Amino acid sequence: MHVAQSGIFALGTSSHSYLEFDLHAQGDPLMLVQVIASLQEPRMTTGGVNLVVGFRPSLWSRIAPEEMPAGVTDFERDVRGIDGYSMPATQHDLWVWVAGHAYHTVFDVAREAIAALAPFARLAMEVAGWTYKESRDLTGFIDGTENPPLSEAPEVALIPDGSPGAGGSVVLIQQWTHDVTAFEALAVEEQEKVIGRTKATSIELAEEVRGPQSHVSRTVIEEQGVEQHIFRRNTPFGTATEHGTMFIGFSCDQQRLIRMLARMAGAEDGIRDALTRYTTAVSGAYYFVPSVEALREFASADDE
C-alpha cells in the first residue's frame, strides 16, 4: 500500500506558504527531484509544519514514468470560454506547499526550501495563505462545503493501489483575486444566488432558485448521474486592499478538474459561472504529487 504525503489531509493548519519554481535553463530535472526528496524526508512534519510537493506532470513522467498515471497533462494553454472569458495557464516545474499553525515556522521552512533549491530552480511565485473566520472565503461564504469527510477523502484525492502513481494525486493550483467591492454591493440574496448557497449556514439553494449559472451548479461534476468529487484545501491570501483565494484541488482523476474549469468558463455548454464576474484567475497549473514511497526512491542515502 502506498502512503500519500500527509499534508494533503492535514486539516486545521492556519498558516500557509505556496511556492512555485522553474528549473534553471539547462537544469537537470533529476537533481531537482533528488533535492526535494531529501528535503521532504524525514522532516516533513517537524515542528508542526507539513510539506507537500508536486511536479510538473511532464517532468515527473520523464523522471519516474512507472509512478505516473496515464494521460495527466500540464496546464499547457489558457482555458477559453464564452464572451472572451479565459483563465490563464501559468505552469511551472515544481510546487511546494508549506503549512502549519504558526507562520514563523512556516516562514522558516519556506526559506529553507528556497535556499536548498536555489542552485537548481528559480522561485517563480510565492503566496502566503491564512484562514479567515475558521473556514470562510473572503466573500464571507463558507469554503469547502462540498468536500468529502476525511474518511472518504483518500478515495477522492488519491490514485488507487494497483495503478501507476498509486498514493499520488493530481492537484490544480489557481490564484483568484476578488472584486470584493462589486460583490459586496450585491444584496445578500443576490450573493447567495451567485454562490448557490446561503451565506450564514452554507445550505445549498434549490436548483430552480440558484440557477444553472451559480458557482455550485458549475462546479458539480457528474458522470452518468454520479457526482465526481474532488478534495479542496483552499485558503484566503492577500492584504486588506488586494486579496482573494488560493484554490488547491486534489483529485484521483485530472479530467474532473479539467471539466470543472471548462464548465466555469462556459466552454462546455455556454453557461458561465456567475462567480467569475467577481473574481479573476491570475494563475493556473497542474502538478502531480507523488506518494511518499515514490519520493523516497530519490532521497539521498543520508536521509534514508
Side-chain angles (χ1 to χ4, degrees):
M1 181 176 180
H2 290 75
V3 176
Q5 296 184 43
S6 61
I8 295 173
F9 305 108
L11 301 181
T13 49
S14 57
S15 297
H16 304 261
S17 180
Y18 305 103
L19 310 171
E20 292 180 272
F21 297 84
D22 288 327
L23 195 65
H24 290 321
Q26 310 304 317
D28 183 353
L30 176 59
M31 293 191 69
L32 179 72
V33 174
Q34 289 172 335
V35 169
I36 276 294
S38 298
L39 179 70
Q40 173 88 353
E41 295 289 350
R43 301 191 294 272
M44 53 190 297
T45 58
T46 298
V49 172
N50 290 287
L51 202 62
V52 177
V53 299
F55 301 93
R56 175 194 285 265
S58 59
L59 185 153
W60 183 252
S61 293
R62 289 168 56 194
I63 300 303
E66 72 287 352
E67 289 290 347
M68 185 68 181
V72 179
T73 61
D74 301 347
F75 203 134
E76 299 173 301
R77 53 184 63 89
D78 296 353
V79 176
R80 299 196 179 278
I82 61 172
D83 305 325
Y85 179 74
S86 66
M87 300 178 194
T90 60
Q91 183 72 58
H92 299 288
D93 293 317
L94 171 68
W95 174 62
V96 178
W97 171 28
V98 186
H101 293 289
Y103 190 72
H104 70 273
T105 56
V106 170
F107 176 85
D108 286 343
V109 172
R111 289 193 68 209
E112 178 185 358
I114 293 168
L117 288 163
F120 311 98
R122 175 185 67 86
L123 180 65
M125 180 177 287
E126 177 182 8
V127 179
W130 36 274
T131 56
Y132 177 67
K133 296 182 178 179
E134 295 185 0
S135 60
R136 292 189 182 266
D137 180 80
L138 295 180
T139 61
F141 284 78
I142 295 173
D143 201 355
T145 304
E146 285 284 337
N147 261 355
L150 273 180
S151 60
E152 300 173 15
E155 181 180 345
V156 168
L158 303 180
I159 309 299
D161 276 333
S163 301
S169 184
V170 181
V171 63
L172 168 63
I173 311 299
Q174 285 184 300
Q175 184 180 10
W176 292 81
T177 58
H178 297 341
D179 184 349
V180 177
T181 301
F183 188 76
E184 290 181 344
L186 300 175
V188 171
E189 292 79 5
E190 292 304 311
Q191 293 179 17
E192 291 176 339
K193 289 179 182 179
V194 168
I195 301 296
R197 294 183 176 277
T198 60
K199 191 167 188 177
T201 58
S202 202
I203 296 172
E204 188 172 312
L205 300 178
E207 188 172 357
E208 62 270 19
V209 175
R210 69 176 188 261
Q213 76 287 342
S214 73
H215 186 58
V216 167
S217 298
R218 294 288 85 200
T219 56
V220 170
I221 306 301
E222 292 187 351
E223 293 288 347
Q224 299 181 337
V226 178
E227 187 171 347
Q228 307 295 299
H229 292 281
I230 64 172
F231 185 62
R232 296 168 173 84
R233 291 296 311 276
N234 305 351
T235 67
F237 75 90
T239 64
T241 55
E242 185 175 354
H243 47 258
T245 296
M246 283 299 296
F247 177 88
I248 313 293
F250 293 93
S251 179
C252 62
D253 176 13
Q254 188 183 31
Q255 288 305 310
R256 300 178 188 183
L257 300 165
I258 291 172
R259 276 201 67 201
M260 182 185 70
L261 296 188
R263 285 178 56 78
M264 290 177 66
E268 184 174 280
D269 56 8
I271 303 172
R272 180 176 157 192
D273 189 330
L275 185 57
T276 64
R277 302 184 186 280
Y278 303 95
T279 184
T280 302
V282 296
S283 71
Y286 289 112
Y287 296 96
F288 185 69
V289 180
S291 68
V292 171
E293 290 86 350
L295 277 174
R296 281 177 178 163
E297 291 295 319
F298 296 95
S300 67
D302 291 341
D303 292 314
E304 293 292 335

